Amino acid sequence: MNQYKVVLLKGDGIGSEIVEQAVNVLETAGELYGFSIEFQEELLGGSAIDAVGTPLPQKTIDACKAADSTLLGAVGGPKWDGLSGDKRPEKGLLGIREALGLFANLRPAVIFPELREASPLRADIIGEKLDIMVVRELTGGIYFGERGRTAENGQEAAYDTEKYSVGEVERIARVAFEMARKRGKRLCSVDKANVLESSRLWRATVARIGQQEYPDVEITNMYVDNCAMQLVRNPGQFDVIVTSNIFGDILSDEASMISGSIGMLASASLGSGKAGLFEPIHGSAPDIAGTGKANPLATILSGAMMLKYSLDQPEAAAAIEAAVSKVLQTARTADIYTEGMQGVRKVSCSEMGQLVCDALKASR
Ligand code: NAD
């Protein structure tokens, strides 16, 4: 029997509620598909600041490096908003991605047929199906570039720097081309090459890697402002999108809204090896923490991505996705529930987790 070691970083806010449900689902999948996972909890974010004074303890980094993979809830909250940049919970998140060398963030934006009506887009715009993969560069660009405060003409000023090396662009481009090759063989590289020098280097590098290594994949280029517009005008035109850290951050949130709810979207952060960091794209939702209203499906689907990309259990991953689809036919958490829905009831975070486990068992 395959045995895996997975670190759990529950984080803050709704983190512990949603991770708990994902663990239940992964354990059920293990029983049904013949593998077992040993979970180890470590601290990250605000809870780590409270316990040991830093958002990213060395012990957390060491545990993640030694594990087969890591499942994260979310970090941050108003309690820590007053802290300075380096001490904020989000610093832990950026830091762990960097420490593990996770340079590629995969964010699928998929519309479950059951949630079609939850999308703010008209049915004719969504079309038959929506299945976009946003590949976001994760450890470079403006979030990691030089920043600071200065004075200009007697006024306080601040700056952040967007910088990419050829090597950084090459490795993210290869992840995106590989992904496109396994899907619809279409890659759209998104930049701001009409203004930014770093984008011009990005565009030329993606084009070269495509020509030299992936002649079977069709490449298009799009400016980020146009892409933001096209995502709501004609989302079906996209297969795989590859873009920088900051543009990917914004576009993947937009893509998430198209698909109905931020509580539904999973993500994977990968490096050069098999281990990765899997997490929902939403934050710690402090406004609903502790109320039982959180939607655990994005975290459960992140667990499914972990089974697929890190732990070589694609069958169990597909079964979890199918179970989620089945449960959505009759049960919804508050964020995806509309009053008066026929045959659908409103459920809590833990009920939703239990229903997915039940559907998984029923499918085997
Ligand atoms: P958020 O994603 O936490 O919440 C935005 C809105 O979506 C809220 O109304 C929230 O209730 C709702 N929501 C989010 N996840 C949900 C879920 N699973 N089920 C139901 N509803 C859900 O974003 P925010 O309010 O801008 O940020 C709150 C905190 O989270 C901040 O401290 C922020 O820095 C942090 N944050 C963390 C991450 C992360 O850990 N990856 C990502 C984004 C924001």
Side-chain angles (χ1 to χ4, degrees), residues 32-45:
L32 297 170
Y33 289 85
F35 61 88
S36 78
I37 303 179
E38 184 192 326
F39 294 103
Q40 178 183 344
E41 252 186 73
E42 295 294 342
L43 294 167
L44 184 80

Side-chain angles (χ1 to χ4, degrees), residues 260-339:
S261 166
I262 198 160
M264 291 297 302
L265 288 177
S267 81
S269 302
L270 304 173
S272 40
K274 281 234 154 206
L277 180 74
F278 296 81
E279 54 178 314
I281 78 156
H282 59 72
S284 59
D287 53 332
I288 56 165
T291 64
K293 285 187 188 156
N295 183 348
L297 292 177
T299 317
I300 289 171
L301 291 167
S302 301
M305 283 185 92
M306 182 168 80
L307 293 179
K308 184 146 86 186
Y309 293 110
S310 255
L311 306 184
D312 281 329
Q313 296 289 342
E315 218 190 321
I320 292 174
E321 286 165 8
V324 167
S325 215
K326 181 116 200 356
V327 170
L328 285 171
Q329 291 168 11
T330 54
R332 309 275 173 95
T333 42
D335 56 313
I336 46 175
Y337 178 81
T338 315
E339 279 310 325

Side-chain angles (χ1 to χ4, degrees), residues 22-345:
V23 166
N24 291 343
V25 171
L26 287 169
E27 281 178 340
T28 304
E31 284 160 23
L32 297 170
Y33 289 85
F35 61 88
S36 78
I37 303 179
E38 184 192 326
F39 294 103
Q40 178 183 344
E41 252 186 73
E42 295 294 342
L43 294 167
L44 184 80
S47 50
I49 295 171
D50 288 353
V52 293
T54 166
L56 178 57
Q58 186 60 41
K59 183 167 177 287
T60 297
I61 298 177
D62 295 343
C64 292
K65 280 187 175 168
D68 293 303
S69 216
T70 300
L71 184 67
L72 168 73
V75 300
K79 182 176 177 191
W80 304 282
D81 277 352
L83 296 175
S84 65
D86 262 14
K87 299 204 176 74
R88 289 177 65 92
E90 293 77 5
K91 191 74 188 169
L93 194 57
L94 299 180
I96 189 74
R97 289 170 179 163
E98 199 178 16
L100 299 178
L102 306 174
F103 60 83
N105 188 216
L106 274 48
R107 294 186 169 201
V110 179
I111 290 200
F112 282 85
E114 295 79 11
L115 284 184
R116 214 171 242 269
E117 87 290 344
S119 172
L121 295 187
R122 292 198 314 265
D124 63 309
I125 294 178
I126 296 171
E128 274 308 295
K129 66 173 190 150
L130 188 75
D131 183 358
I132 304 171
M133 178 69 86
V134 181
V135 179
R136 166 189 171 196
E137 200 290 327
L138 206 54
T139 53
I142 198 163
Y143 292 174
F144 291 91
E146 191 191 331
R147 69 181 53 126
R149 295 278 172 126
T150 179
E152 230 171 53
N153 305 325
Q155 274 187 30
E156 192 179 12
Y159 62 94
D160 302 273
T161 318
E162 173 87 347
K163 186 171 88 173
Y164 272 108
S165 69
V166 167
E168 283 175 312
V169 183
E170 282 177 346
R171 64 182 188 179
I172 191 72
R174 287 193 180 101
V175 170
F177 277 115
E178 290 292 337
M179 196 61 56
R181 196 171 248 178
K182 290 191 196 116
R183 295 170 40 110
K185 291 196 166 57
R186 287 182 298 120
L187 178 64
C188 179
S189 175
V190 174
D191 59 41
K192 190 70 185 165
N194 50 344
V195 181
L196 302 177
E197 197 53 40
S198 53
S199 280
R200 288 192 267 275
L201 180 84
W202 177 285
R203 187 177 283 214
T205 306
V206 172
R208 178 173 50 76
I209 294 292
Q211 267 163 15
Q212 289 174 351
E213 300 173 30
Y214 302 91
D216 52 320
V217 176
E218 179 196 317
I219 315 175
T220 50
N221 297 287
M222 201 177 269
Y223 297 137
V224 62
D225 42 345
N226 186 26
C227 183
M229 194 251 286
Q230 295 296 335
L231 273 170
V232 289
R233 200 180 79 76
N234 178 17
Q237 71 185 284
F238 296 107
D239 177 18
V240 178
I241 291 173
V242 64
T243 191
S244 64
N245 202 342
I246 187 168
F247 296 160
D249 192 3
I250 298 163
L251 292 176
S252 54
D253 265 20
E254 184 188 0
S256 74
M257 201 51 230
I258 293 170
S259 67
S261 166
I262 198 160
M264 291 297 302
L265 288 177
S267 81
S269 302
L270 304 173
S272 40
K274 281 234 154 206
L277 180 74
F278 296 81
E279 54 178 314
I281 78 156
H282 59 72
S284 59
D287 53 332
I288 56 165
T291 64
K293 285 187 188 156
N295 183 348
L297 292 177
T299 317
I300 289 171
L301 291 167
S302 301
M305 283 185 92
M306 182 168 80
L307 293 179
K308 184 146 86 186
Y309 293 110
S310 255
L311 306 184
D312 281 329
Q313 296 289 342
E315 218 190 321
I320 292 174
E321 286 165 8
V324 167
S325 215
K326 181 116 200 356
V327 170
L328 285 171
Q329 291 168 11
T330 54
R332 309 275 173 95
T333 42
D335 56 313
I336 46 175
Y337 178 81
T338 315
E339 279 310 325
M341 279 179 151
Q342 291 293 314
V344 179
R345 66 193 177 92

